[in-house]
């Protein structure tokens, strides 16, 4: 894979996993029309875990994490996030969405708002934070992702990497307990991938629970505590990175890894 | 894009300009390349020049050289022309415009009160400013919100101002009243209809689709007939609205269907990711619509909204068919007076040019906005 | 799908109506429904009270009373003793006449102006800009009034009128007179010769294409075709002794007699509408041609195609897809604008129904309802055609079927498609031609049934048949049900996916009942078919459709082949 992850500075000692359960998925199934996208998914995520989900395109990995904050509706089974069950109750959905941040492949910043306004919008309107307070928090967060000087620019004026860091800051301003990453570096030029991964490492070191769909295997090796391989809507194999990469059990995993690590 | 150019191969200076071969420059080359490039093109060029020569000089002569601006009647005009250019010569009689100008602009509005519609017009520009330019202070929006009430009392009177009857309001003033009220009032209705049409709720979607397609499927004139003969039937017995108000209601409904389609286009132009990002942040439907979706969709729709306004403004001339005295409705009464009986071209041309100036400048503005939007994105 | 266990849900509480996504949309829709019904009730109630207060009644009986007004431009027989409904029909036809003439002329003007505006010729393109920008920004009503006034002022009285264009048109201030073709013995052969030569030309075109494919040789196909058609037709015309002639209008007394007569108002309206709409069409044409990117032209040139071939093979097919949808909506605008005929006294639908009939009878509700229904049906038909076109283009783009152009026939292609491909799973992946083609036929069947029944029930007034209103209640109810079910099945089949089969099944029951009660189906088909043929044919078709779709497969195909978009992750 790309070299951008080779120089990631990761301090494993700062990351620790607790026994508390952040996400519990039981026998979850999803269909698009007659297309069975997710089959019998069972997954328990503890607080502080960093899980990397990989798999070929169309394997349902994006759909899985999009189900966790109800961007997609599951038809069967149970999803419990932070003790709240995800069902058709809109209040529960709102609560879960406020606790779960999400990063998109195409950033999805709001182009008509400045960087600062992007970051303060949800705290002000969802959390009902006073504007001054929200702006102060937003500035701190922007410093954390190392772009405080861009606060008053519009997203279109920033580079891709900067935009994705703003998107991370936008999530962090809501002070989420869990963050979902849907291929956060796929739309970026190679030289910008590292700046985004650096921020993600920083989050991991801060103890954030993370579910990351990505092809950055270097990131998976160094940061993840668990790597999960999905194919045809099922979780085929999951293990610690060391075991997963050096001693895969399943044939499909071996094939996938040989293809993706060949370059 | 990256802004640090540390590249090795950079031009050290510009190549000096040099003259192209003589056959590639100069008026002769331009003529050859643009006008006489092939047989068909040459024929077209010659035909166009002949048409221009045949049409333009007589028109200029009739309009400007032989045109008369001061006379009391059509026969007066003819006398002036005969005296200046000899018997049998024809020229434009602009005296009718000169004499009836105020009427064409204000209808039968009392002339000592002309300041009121003029003030209302100036205030309208002031009220539009904070809507169009976001750099102006936000408190000015309160003025914009209060403007319709102020304009109503300025034009119709009341609150200590002398009352003016609806029947006295006419001319361009009436066109502007109907056009502007129609477009402003149709904006919120259009937004609601467009959102409804996008809704996943079958029944709400159906209501919106049926309304929009019904209004867009019938000519405006049938809706104006409804305004003039039917609308009062729909009101509780004993109530009745003024004709101008009824026309404004129907024109608003008419415009809102077209507005809805324009805004729907703006909504469709939005990236699906914007909806998802708003959802993921925990914004509910109304908040994400108000804060994320509509600001962007409306911005994209502005050229379309201006175009709808141009169409509506042109369509206000249809009110003359149901007896309102807009500029077109005033033409026949003027032509029927003894002094101006027989006048034809001058009146039509004047009204046409009047509308042309408004519509053309607005269409240029909308084109400019469209270009600006393209570069913004 | 086979869901066995839903996600676990709490038991129902009242606040779940607006906090639970399962109930909320239904709840909101019921509220909206109630609000709409209340509003409708309020309006209808007001209308009823107002009508009662004025002592007016609601009904269409007045349409059969004599109109007692004249219409001086008409396509069918009409006198002032004819009924209001005949007057309305005259008006409708006049609207359609203006619309058709206007659309043809506007297309011609618009395409010419649009292409010329892009011309490299500086003067010509500027002139076209002046035309387009000048005309577009002036209200069409002013243009109609001005043109009509000009024609009235400028044109001579019939006494002093002169024929123009070699007698082809006599413009007077009373109207325009055109010669009318007359057919004598032997003209049939000329027409036949013309048709034969056209078929020959088409055949020759195909032969030339085949030849080109085999030998690579290009023939001057267009010239040969033209020569073939013109030569053969002219030859027959001469041999048969000039059987087709023209009858020219002649001045008799104060007016012209003979020939085709068009009032000045008709000419003025047509011209003004087409000049106005032409300017808009010109802009669409220009935008369409410009939309085909410059890269396409350059790619074609790079392949060595000549400029004329580039236009025909590369630019036009792509530009047409962009141009045609706005072109069709311009036709719709022209048709709606033709209602301004009222302002210059041309008796179109608005002038008859919404004008004199309304004023004379005072039945404003009924006349305006009819008028709006007329315009609505025109607009909806035009949008329907446009949707067909768009679906066709989408289909072509998706399945990359060669050819590319639009043809109604293509919608029926594949009726003989392979039946074994019509399995459930396939349909989500590929358009299913067999089912779609079969559905097209069924939709046609329902459409035809509907037209015939409506005609038979309410319009047919031939001798010796009882009016619908005199029938027994049972027969009345059955036929009414049958009509309603056919209509619903027709509409659902067109617009609402595959659900129409449910309607069709219900309709089948009523159909059988109607057969048992002895409904005269033969009369309904304009007497074209025997009752037994209709009954058994109809039964077979309905049973086949229902059985096939119930037992065979229920693929996700609609009338327009629209395949449900399955999206992966």
């Amino acid at each position: 894979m790309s070299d951008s992850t080779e120089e990631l500075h990761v301090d494993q000692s700062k990351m620790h996993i607790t026994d508390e359960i952040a996400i519990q998925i039981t026998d979850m199934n999803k269909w698009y029309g007659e297309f069975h996208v997710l089959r019998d998914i069972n997954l328990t995520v503890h607080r502080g875990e960093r899980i990397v989900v990989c798999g070929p395109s169309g394997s349902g990995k994006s759909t899985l994490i999009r189900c966790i904050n109800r961007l997609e509706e599951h038809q069967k089974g149970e999803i419990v996030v932070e003790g709240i069950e995800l069902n058709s109750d809109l209040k529960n959905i709102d609560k879960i969405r406020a606790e779960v941040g999400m990063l998109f492949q195409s950033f999805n910043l709001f182009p008509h708002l400045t960087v600062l306004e992007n970051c303060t919008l949800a705290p002000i309107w969802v959390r009902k934070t006073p504007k001054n307070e929200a702006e102060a928090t937003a500035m701190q967060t922007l410093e954390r992702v190392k772009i405080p000087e861009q606060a008053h620019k519009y997203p279109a004026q920033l580079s891709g990497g900067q935009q994705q860091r703003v998107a991370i800051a936008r999530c962090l301003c809501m002070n989420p307990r869990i963050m979902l990453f849907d291929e956060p570096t796929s739309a970026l030029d190679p030289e910008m991938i590292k700046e985004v991964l650096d921020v993600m490492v920083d989050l991991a070191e801060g103890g954030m629970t993370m579910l990351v769909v990505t092809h950055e295997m270097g990131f998976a090796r160094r940061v993840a505590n668990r790597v999960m391989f999905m194919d045809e809507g099922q979780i085929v194999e999951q293990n610690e990175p060391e075991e997963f990469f050096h001693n895969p059990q399943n044939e499909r995993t071996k094939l996938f890894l040989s293809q993706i690590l060949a370059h | 894009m990256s802004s640090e150019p540390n590249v090795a191969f950079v031009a050290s200076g510009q190549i000096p300009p040099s003259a192209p071969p003589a056959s590639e420059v100069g008026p002769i080359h331009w003529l050859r390349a643009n006008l006489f490039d092939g047989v068909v093109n040459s024929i077209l060029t010659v035909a166009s020049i002949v048409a221009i020569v045949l049409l333009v000089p007589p028109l200029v002569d009739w309009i400007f050289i032989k045109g008369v601006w001061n006379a009391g009647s059509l026969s007066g005009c003819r006398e002036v022309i005969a005296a200046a250019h000899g018997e049998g010569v024809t020229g434009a009689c602009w005296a009718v415009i000169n004499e009836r100008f105020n009427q064409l602009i204000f209808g039968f509005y009392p002339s000592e009160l002309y300041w009121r519609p003029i003030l209302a017009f100036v205030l309208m520009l002031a009220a539009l400013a904070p809507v169009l330019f976001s750099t102006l202070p936000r408190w000015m929006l309160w003025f914009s919100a209060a403007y319709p009430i102020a304009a109503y009392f300025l034009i119709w009177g009341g609150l200590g101002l002398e009352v003016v009857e609806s029947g006295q309001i006419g001319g361009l003033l009436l066109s502007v009243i109907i056009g502007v009220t129609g477009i402003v009032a149709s904006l919120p209705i259009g937004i609601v209809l467009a959102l409804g049409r996008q809704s996943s709720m079958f029944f709400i979607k159906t209501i919106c689709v049926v309304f929009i397609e019904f209004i867009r499927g019938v000519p405006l004139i049938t809706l104006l007939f409804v305004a003039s003969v039917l609308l009062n039937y729909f009101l509780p017995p004993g109530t009745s609205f003024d004709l101008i108000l009824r026309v404004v209601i129907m024109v608003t409904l008419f415009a809102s269907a077209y507005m809805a389609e324009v805004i729907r286009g703006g909504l469709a132009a939005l990236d699906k990711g914007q909806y998802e990002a708003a959802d993921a942040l925990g914004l509910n439907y109304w908040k994400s619509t108000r804060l994320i979706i509509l600001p962007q969709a409306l911005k994209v729709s502005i050229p379309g909204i201006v175009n709808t306004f141009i169409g509506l403004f042109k369509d206000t001339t249809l009110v003359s068919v149901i007896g309102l005295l807009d500029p077109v409705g005033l033409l026949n009464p003027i032509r029927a007076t003894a002094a101006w009986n027989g006048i034809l071209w001058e009146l039509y041309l004047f009204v046409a040019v009047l509308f042309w100036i408004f519509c053309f400048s607005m269409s240029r503005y909308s084109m400019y906005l469209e270009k600006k939007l393209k570069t913004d994105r | 799908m086979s869901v066995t266990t839903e996600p676990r849900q709490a038991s129902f509480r009242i606040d779940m109506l607006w906090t639970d996504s399962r109930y909320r949309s239904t709840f909101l829709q019921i509220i909206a429904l109630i609000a709409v019904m209340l509003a409708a009730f309020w309006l209808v109630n007001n209308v009823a009270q107002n009508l009662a207060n004025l002592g007016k009644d609601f009904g269409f009986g007045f349409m059969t009373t004599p109109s007692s007004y004249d219409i001086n431009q008409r396509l069918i027989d009409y006198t002032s003793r004819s009924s209001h409904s005949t007057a309305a029909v005259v008006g409708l036809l006049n609207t359609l006449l203006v619309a058709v003439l206007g659309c043809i002329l506007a297309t011609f003007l618009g395409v010419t102006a649009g292409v010329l505006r892009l011309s490299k010729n500086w003067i010509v393109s500027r002139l076209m800009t002046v035309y387009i920008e000048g005309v577009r920004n002036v209200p069409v009503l002013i243009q109609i009034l001005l043109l009509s006034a000009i024609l009235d002022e400028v044109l001579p009285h019939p006494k002093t009128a002169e024929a123009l264009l070699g007698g082809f048109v006599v413009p007077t201030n009373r109207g325009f007179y055109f010669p009318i073709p007359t057919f004598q013995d032997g003209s049939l052969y000329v027409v036949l010769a013309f048709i034969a030569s056209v078929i020959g030309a088409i055949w020759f075109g195909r032969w030339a294409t085949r030849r080109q494919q085999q030998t690579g040789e290009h023939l001057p196909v267009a010239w040969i075709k033209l020569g073939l058609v013109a030569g053969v037709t002219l030859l027959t015309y001469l041999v048969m002794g000039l059987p087709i002639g023209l009858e020219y209008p002649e001045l008799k007394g104060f007016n012209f007699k003979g020939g085709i007569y068009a009032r000045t108002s008709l000419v003025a309206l047509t011209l003004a509408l087409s000049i106005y709409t032409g300017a808009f069409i010109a802009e669409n044409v220009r935008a369409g041609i410009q939309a085909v990117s410059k890269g396409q032209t350059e790619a074609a040139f790079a392949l060595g195609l000549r400029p004329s071939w580039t236009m025909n093979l590369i630019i036009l097919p792509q530009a047409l897809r962009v141009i045609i949808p706005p072109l069709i909506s311009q036709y719709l605008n022209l048709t709606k604008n033709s209602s301004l005929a009222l302002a210059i006294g041309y008796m179109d639908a608005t002038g008859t129904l919404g004008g004199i009939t309304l004023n004379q009878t005072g039945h404003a509700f009924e006349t305006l309802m009819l008028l709006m229904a007329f315009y609505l049906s025109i607009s909806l038909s035009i949008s329907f055609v446009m949707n067909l076109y768009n679906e066709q283009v989408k289909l072509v783009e998706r399945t990359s079927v060669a050819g590319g152009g639009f043809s109604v026939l293509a919608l029926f292609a594949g009726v003989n498609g392979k039946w074994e491909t019509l399995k459930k799973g396939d349909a989500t992946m590929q358009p299913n031609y067999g089912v779609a083609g079969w559905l097209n036929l069924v939709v046609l069947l329902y459409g035809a049934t509907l037209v015939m029944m409506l005609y038979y029930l309410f319009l047919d007034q031939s001798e010796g048949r009882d009016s619908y209103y005199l029938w027994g209640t049972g027969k009345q109810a059955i036929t009414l049900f049958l009509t309603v079910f056919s209509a619903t099945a027709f509409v659902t089949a067109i617009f609402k996916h595959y659900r129409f089969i449910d309607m069709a099944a219900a309709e089948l029951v009523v159909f059988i009942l109607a057969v048992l009660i002895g409904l005269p189906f033969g009369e309904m088909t304009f007497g074209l078919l025997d009752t037994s043929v209709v009954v058994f044919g109809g039964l077979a078709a309905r049973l086949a459709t229902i059985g096939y779709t119930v037992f065979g497969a229920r693929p996700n195909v609609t009338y327009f082949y629209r395949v449900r978009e399955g999206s992966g992750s």
Side-chain angles (χ1 to χ4, degrees), chain C residues 419-563:
Chain C
W419 289 62
E420 62 265 32
T421 61
L422 308 180
K423 288 284 176 285
K424 242 179 184 174
D426 296 349
T428 54
M429 299 301 162
Q430 64 191 43
N432 205 320
Y433 295 100
V435 167
W438 177 247
L439 277 187
N440 288 327
L441 288 181
V442 172
V443 166
L444 270 192
L445 171 76
Y446 277 102
T449 317
L450 197 61
V451 169
M452 286 172 178
M453 290 192 48
L454 287 175
Y455 177 81
Y456 177 74
L457 290 181
F458 303 112
L459 290 175
D460 183 20
Q461 288 169 0
S462 55
E463 296 285 320
R465 69 156 286 213
D466 290 343
S467 163
Y468 171 77
Y469 308 99
L470 304 176
W471 292 358
T473 323
K475 204 169 156 188
Q476 272 185 345
I478 286 282
T479 41
L480 208 60
F481 269 127
L482 197 54
T483 321
V484 171
F485 275 117
S486 291
T488 325
F490 179 59
V491 173
T492 6
I494 290 175
F495 293 108
K496 202 56 197 164
H497 304 271
Y498 216 65
R499 304 296 298 279
F500 95 100
I501 237 49
D502 310 331
M503 287 318 300
E507 189 250 11
L508 180 70
V509 178
V510 187
F511 182 81
I512 294 172
L513 273 180
V515 170
L516 293 179
I517 228 169
L519 218 64
F521 281 103
E523 285 181 26
M524 285 188 187
T525 56
F526 309 109
L528 289 172
L529 296 170
D530 191 67
T531 295
S532 57
V533 175
V534 183
V535 168
F536 291 115
L539 261 180
R542 284 164 173 83
L543 279 173
T545 311
I546 293 168
Y548 168 58
T549 41
V550 169
F551 299 112
R554 274 203 184 211
N556 288 320
V557 204
T558 72
Y559 182 53
F560 299 128
Y561 302 137
R562 191 185 287 116
V563 177

Side-chain angles (χ1 to χ4, degrees), chain A residues 32 60 63 75-76 88-90, chain C residues 5 7 19-22 567 569:
Chain A
Y32 284 119
T63 314
Q75 277 98 23
K76 196 180 144 187
S88 53
D89 191 334
L90 295 166
Chain C
T5 53
T19 62
D20 194 303
S21 59
R22 281 171 304 163
S567 45
S569 64

